Amino acid sequence: MNQIGFQIEHCRSNCSKSACEWNGLLEALRSKLVDLKINETLEQKFHPILHHHLPKIGLAGCPNGCSQPDIKDFSISGYVNPLITDAPCLQCEVCVRSCLEGAISLQPKGISIDKDRCLSCGNCQRVCPSGTLTRGESGWILRLGGRVGRHPRFATFIGKVSTIDEVVQWVYKTILDYMENSEAQERLTHFLERKTISV
Ligand code: SF4
Ligand code: SF4
Ligand code: SF4
């Protein structure tokens, strides 16, 4: 049984594709969630506490999702939007080739980005040699209620936030809500499913 009452699966260290620095968020989550004493509280509530009562969190530095966040109770993925600046474009098309979504095209007046296709992964911003493309707004995409098993489901999109504190508060309050308001023997995933149906 997990002794600290939660699991966090995260990216490999020093991945060059990370859209957001996630180590600080990992430490902040660990530190804050320990305060909840999840194991002790759920042990009293459910006795015995079982694996499916414990929160699973997937933390990914970019939309590639190597830590499989979208099949976890809490899905957290870093994103960074591309920003087109006034720096002259060299028309090299490196950004076009870097975009796995086919979201960038070269037009007579410069590059164009299809926002509906863009996943805000950051690839194009890292390779542009001129600074025409650079980092824009960044933050974290939050999803809730993913799972595998007999009735698998992907986590439901909740929203985007820009700071680590907002992510930590969201996870903390949702787990607290579960500890205080779940029904008898209710699994965390079913509690979260109830919460996300109306989103
Ligand atoms: S999710 Fe992105 S940042 Fe994390 S390991 Fe995969 S490619 Fe790297
Ligand atoms: S951020 Fe990623 S998906 Fe969006 S345009 Fe750049 S390379 Fe393509
Ligand atoms: S935006 Fe940058 S990478 Fe893209 S074509 Fe222009 S100079 Fe090249």
Side-chain angles (χ1 to χ4, degrees):
M1 185 64 65
N2 181 331
Q3 292 304 306
I4 57 173
F6 58 90
Q7 295 176 347
I8 305 179
E9 195 165 336
H10 54 79
C11 292
R12 63 183 183 275
S13 297
N14 304 321
C15 177
S16 61
K17 294 190 173 179
S18 195
C20 292
E21 201 290 308
W22 52 267
N23 285 283
L25 174 54
L26 176 63
E27 289 312 311
L29 276 169
R30 282 176 172 156
S31 165
K32 184 75 176 172
L33 296 186
V34 164
D35 292 346
L36 278 174
K37 300 188 187 314
I38 296 170
N39 249 348
E40 293 92 317
T41 307
L42 292 182
E43 185 70 41
Q44 287 174 8
K45 187 176 177 95
F46 295 126
H47 50 85
I49 182 172
L50 298 172
H51 184 71
H52 56 239
H53 295 129
L54 298 177
K56 288 90 183 168
I57 300 165
L59 173 57
C62 82
N64 284 357
C66 299
S67 50
Q68 302 184 320
D70 293 331
I71 55 170
K72 303 291 195 299
D73 299 311
F74 296 86
S75 164
I76 306 164
S77 300
Y79 76 92
V80 56
N81 291 338
L83 179 68
I84 301 175
T85 71
D86 292 333
C89 174
L90 305 175
Q91 310 258 308
C92 65
E93 296 195 50
V94 171
C95 58
V96 176
R97 292 191 291 276
S98 78
C99 182
L100 301 177
E101 308 308 318
I104 307 177
S105 58
L106 202 54
Q107 306 291 335
K109 290 187 177 176
I111 56 164
S112 170
I113 297 178
D114 182 341
K115 289 184 179 168
D116 291 335
R117 288 189 169 194
C118 176
L119 294 183
S120 304
C121 67
N123 281 357
C124 56
Q125 304 146 47
R126 278 189 296 275
V127 298
C128 177
S130 63
T132 310
L133 266 177
T134 188
R135 287 177 65 88
E137 175 205 315
S138 65
W140 305 95
I141 297 170
L142 309 180
R143 296 185 177 90
L144 195 62
R147 64 174 177 242
V148 292
R150 294 167 70 104
H151 302 283
R153 75 193 290 264
F154 281 125
T156 301
F157 176 79
I158 298 297
K160 292 179 174 181
V161 296
S162 55
T163 67
I164 283 176
D165 281 350
E166 289 171 288
V167 178
V168 172
Q169 282 303 318
W170 171 67
V171 176
Y172 182 92
K173 287 179 180 172
T174 307
I175 295 175
L176 190 61
D177 190 14
Y178 174 62
M179 295 197 304
E180 292 179 349
N181 300 313
S182 54
E183 295 170 357
Q185 297 305 320
E186 187 174 29
R187 294 178 177 214
L188 173 59
T189 189
H190 295 154
F191 177 81
L192 297 179
E193 191 171 356
R194 281 203 284 126
K195 292 280 169 188
T196 56
I197 281 172
S198 58
V199 170

Coordinates of all heavy atoms in Angstrom, one line a residue, residues 152-186:
P152 N -12.9 2.1 -19.1 CA -11.9 3.1 -19.2 C -12.5 4.4 -19.7 O -13.6 4.4 -20.4 CB -10.9 2.5 -20.2 CG -11.7 1.5 -21.0 CD -12.8 1.0 -20.1
R153 N -11.9 5.5 -19.3 CA -12.3 6.8 -19.9 C -11.1 7.8 -19.8 O -10.3 7.7 -18.9 CB -13.5 7.4 -19.1 CG -13.2 7.9 -17.8 CD -14.5 8.2 -16.9 NE -15.3 9.3 -17.4 CZ -15.2 10.6 -16.9 NH1 -14.3 10.9 -16.0 NH2 -16.0 11.5 -17.4
F154 N -11.1 8.7 -20.8 CA -10.1 9.7 -20.8 C -10.5 10.8 -19.8 O -11.7 11.0 -19.7 CB -9.8 10.3 -22.2 CG -8.9 9.4 -23.0 CD1 -9.3 9.0 -24.3 CD2 -7.7 9.1 -22.6 CE1 -8.5 8.2 -25.1 CE2 -6.8 8.3 -23.4 CZ -7.3 7.8 -24.6
A155 N -9.6 11.5 -19.2 CA -9.9 12.6 -18.3 C -10.6 13.7 -19.1 O -10.3 13.9 -20.3 CB -8.6 13.1 -17.7
T156 N -11.5 14.3 -18.4 CA -12.3 15.4 -18.9 C -11.6 16.8 -18.8 O -11.1 17.1 -17.7 CB -13.7 15.5 -18.2 OG1 -14.3 14.2 -18.3 CG2 -14.6 16.6 -18.8
F157 N -11.6 17.5 -19.9 CA -10.9 18.9 -19.8 C -11.7 19.8 -18.8 O -12.9 19.9 -18.8 CB -11.0 19.5 -21.2 CG -10.4 20.9 -21.2 CD1 -9.1 21.1 -21.2 CD2 -11.3 22.0 -21.2 CE1 -8.5 22.4 -21.2 CE2 -10.8 23.3 -21.3 CZ -9.4 23.5 -21.3
I158 N -10.9 20.4 -17.9 CA -11.4 21.3 -16.9 C -11.1 22.7 -17.2 O -11.9 23.6 -17.1 CB -10.9 20.9 -15.5 CG1 -11.3 19.5 -15.1 CG2 -11.3 21.9 -14.4 CD1 -12.8 19.3 -15.0
G159 N -9.9 22.9 -17.6 CA -9.5 24.3 -17.9 C -8.0 24.5 -18.0 O -7.2 23.5 -17.9
K160 N -7.5 25.7 -18.2 CA -6.1 26.0 -18.2 C -5.8 27.0 -17.1 O -6.6 27.9 -16.8 CB -5.7 26.7 -19.5 CG -5.9 25.8 -20.7 CD -5.5 26.5 -22.0 CE -5.4 25.6 -23.2 NZ -5.0 26.4 -24.4
V161 N -4.6 26.8 -16.5 CA -4.2 27.8 -15.5 C -2.7 28.2 -15.8 O -2.0 27.4 -16.5 CB -4.3 27.3 -14.0 CG1 -5.8 27.0 -13.7 CG2 -3.5 26.0 -13.8
S162 N -2.3 29.3 -15.2 CA -1.0 29.7 -15.6 C 0.1 29.5 -14.5 O 1.3 29.6 -14.8 CB -1.0 31.2 -16.0 OG -1.6 32.0 -14.9
T163 N -0.3 29.2 -13.3 CA 0.7 29.2 -12.2 C 0.6 27.8 -11.5 O -0.4 27.1 -11.4 CB 0.4 30.2 -11.1 OG1 -0.8 29.9 -10.4 CG2 0.3 31.6 -11.7
I164 N 1.8 27.5 -10.9 CA 1.9 26.2 -10.1 C 0.9 26.2 -8.9 O 0.3 25.2 -8.6 CB 3.4 26.1 -9.6 CG1 4.2 25.6 -10.8 CG2 3.5 25.2 -8.4 CD1 5.7 25.6 -10.4
D165 N 0.8 27.4 -8.3 CA -0.1 27.5 -7.1 C -1.5 27.1 -7.5 O -2.2 26.4 -6.7 CB -0.1 28.9 -6.5 CG 1.1 29.1 -5.7 OD1 1.8 28.2 -5.4 OD2 1.3 30.3 -5.3
E166 N -2.0 27.6 -8.7 CA -3.4 27.2 -9.1 C -3.5 25.7 -9.3 O -4.6 25.2 -8.9 CB -3.7 28.0 -10.4 CG -3.9 29.5 -10.2 CD -4.0 30.2 -11.5 OE1 -2.9 30.3 -12.2 OE2 -5.1 30.7 -11.9
V167 N -2.5 25.1 -9.9 CA -2.6 23.6 -10.1 C -2.7 22.9 -8.7 O -3.5 22.0 -8.5 CB -1.3 23.1 -10.8 CG1 -1.4 21.6 -11.0 CG2 -1.2 23.8 -12.2
V168 N -1.8 23.3 -7.8 CA -1.7 22.7 -6.5 C -3.0 22.8 -5.7 O -3.6 21.9 -5.2 CB -0.5 23.2 -5.7 CG1 -0.6 22.7 -4.3 CG2 0.8 22.8 -6.3
Q169 N -3.6 24.0 -5.8 CA -4.9 24.3 -5.1 C -6.0 23.5 -5.7 O -6.9 22.9 -5.0 CB -5.2 25.8 -5.2 CG -4.5 26.7 -4.2 CD -4.6 26.2 -2.8 OE1 -5.7 25.8 -2.3 NE2 -3.5 26.2 -2.0
W170 N -6.0 23.3 -7.0 CA -7.0 22.5 -7.7 C -7.0 21.1 -7.2 O -8.0 20.5 -6.8 CB -6.9 22.6 -9.2 CG -7.7 21.7 -10.0 CD1 -9.1 21.7 -10.1 CD2 -7.3 20.6 -10.8 NE1 -9.5 20.7 -11.0 CE2 -8.4 20.0 -11.4 CE3 -6.0 20.1 -11.1 CZ2 -8.3 18.9 -12.2 CZ3 -5.9 19.0 -11.9 CH2 -7.1 18.4 -12.5
V171 N -5.8 20.5 -7.2 CA -5.6 19.1 -6.8 C -6.0 19.0 -5.3 O -6.7 18.0 -4.9 CB -4.2 18.6 -7.1 CG1 -4.0 17.2 -6.5 CG2 -3.9 18.6 -8.5
Y172 N -5.5 19.8 -4.5 CA -5.7 19.8 -3.1 C -7.2 19.8 -2.7 O -7.7 19.0 -2.0 CB -4.9 21.0 -2.4 CG -5.0 21.0 -0.9 CD1 -4.0 20.4 -0.1 CD2 -6.0 21.7 -0.3 CE1 -4.1 20.5 1.3 CE2 -6.1 21.8 1.1 CZ -5.1 21.2 1.9 OH -5.2 21.2 3.2
K173 N -7.9 20.8 -3.3 CA -9.3 21.0 -3.0 C -10.1 19.8 -3.5 O -11.1 19.4 -2.8 CB -9.8 22.3 -3.6 CG -9.3 23.5 -2.8 CD -9.8 24.8 -3.4 CE -9.3 26.0 -2.6 NZ -9.6 27.3 -3.3
T174 N -9.8 19.3 -4.6 CA -10.6 18.2 -5.2 C -10.4 16.9 -4.3 O -11.4 16.2 -4.0 CB -10.1 17.9 -6.6 OG1 -10.2 19.1 -7.4 CG2 -11.0 16.8 -7.3
I175 N -9.2 16.7 -3.9 CA -9.0 15.5 -3.0 C -9.7 15.7 -1.6 O -10.3 14.8 -1.1 CB -7.5 15.2 -2.8 CG1 -6.8 14.8 -4.1 CG2 -7.2 14.1 -1.7 CD1 -5.3 14.7 -4.1
L176 N -9.6 16.9 -1.1 CA -10.3 17.3 0.1 C -11.8 17.0 0.0 O -12.4 16.5 0.9 CB -10.0 18.7 0.5 CG -10.4 19.2 1.9 CD1 -9.7 18.3 3.0 CD2 -10.1 20.7 2.1
D177 N -12.3 17.5 -1.1 CA -13.7 17.3 -1.4 C -14.1 15.8 -1.4 O -15.1 15.3 -0.8 CB -14.0 17.9 -2.8 CG -15.5 17.9 -3.1 OD1 -16.3 17.8 -2.2 OD2 -15.9 18.2 -4.3
Y178 N -13.2 15.0 -2.0 CA -13.4 13.5 -2.0 C -13.4 13.0 -0.6 O -14.3 12.2 -0.2 CB -12.4 12.8 -2.9 CG -12.4 11.3 -2.8 CD1 -13.5 10.6 -3.3 CD2 -11.3 10.6 -2.3 CE1 -13.5 9.2 -3.2 CE2 -11.3 9.2 -2.3 CZ -12.5 8.5 -2.8 OH -12.5 7.2 -2.7
M179 N -12.4 13.4 0.2 CA -12.3 12.9 1.6 C -13.5 13.2 2.4 O -13.9 12.5 3.3 CB -11.0 13.4 2.2 CG -9.8 12.8 1.5 SD -8.2 13.0 2.4 CE -8.1 14.7 2.8
E180 N -14.1 14.4 2.2 CA -15.2 14.9 3.0 C -16.5 14.5 2.5 O -17.5 14.4 3.3 CB -15.1 16.4 3.1 CG -13.9 16.9 3.9 CD -13.8 18.4 4.0 OE1 -14.5 19.1 3.3 OE2 -12.9 18.9 4.8
N181 N -16.7 14.4 1.2 CA -18.0 14.3 0.6 C -18.3 13.0 -0.2 O -19.4 12.9 -0.8 CB -18.3 15.5 -0.3 CG -18.2 16.8 0.6 OD1 -18.8 16.9 1.6 ND2 -17.5 17.8 0.0
S182 N -17.4 12.1 -0.3 CA -17.7 10.9 -1.1 C -18.7 10.0 -0.3 O -18.8 10.1 0.9 CB -16.4 10.1 -1.4 OG -15.7 9.9 -0.1
E183 N -19.4 9.2 -1.1 CA -20.4 8.3 -0.5 C -19.7 7.1 0.0 O -18.5 6.8 -0.2 CB -21.4 8.0 -1.6 CG -22.2 9.2 -2.0 CD -23.1 9.0 -3.2 OE1 -23.0 7.9 -3.8 OE2 -23.8 9.9 -3.6
A184 N -20.4 6.3 0.7 CA -19.9 5.1 1.3 C -19.2 4.2 0.3 O -19.8 3.8 -0.7 CB -21.0 4.3 2.0
Q185 N -18.0 3.9 0.5 CA -17.2 3.0 -0.3 C -17.0 3.5 -1.8 O -16.7 2.7 -2.7 CB -17.7 1.6 -0.4 CG -17.7 0.9 1.0 CD -16.3 0.8 1.6 OE1 -15.3 0.6 0.9 NE2 -16.3 1.1 2.9
E186 N -17.3 4.8 -2.0 CA -17.2 5.3 -3.4 C -15.8 5.4 -3.8 O -14.9 6.0 -3.1 CB -17.9 6.7 -3.5 CG -18.0 7.2 -4.9 CD -18.8 8.5 -5.0 OE1 -18.8 9.3 -4.0 OE2 -19.4 8.8 -6.0

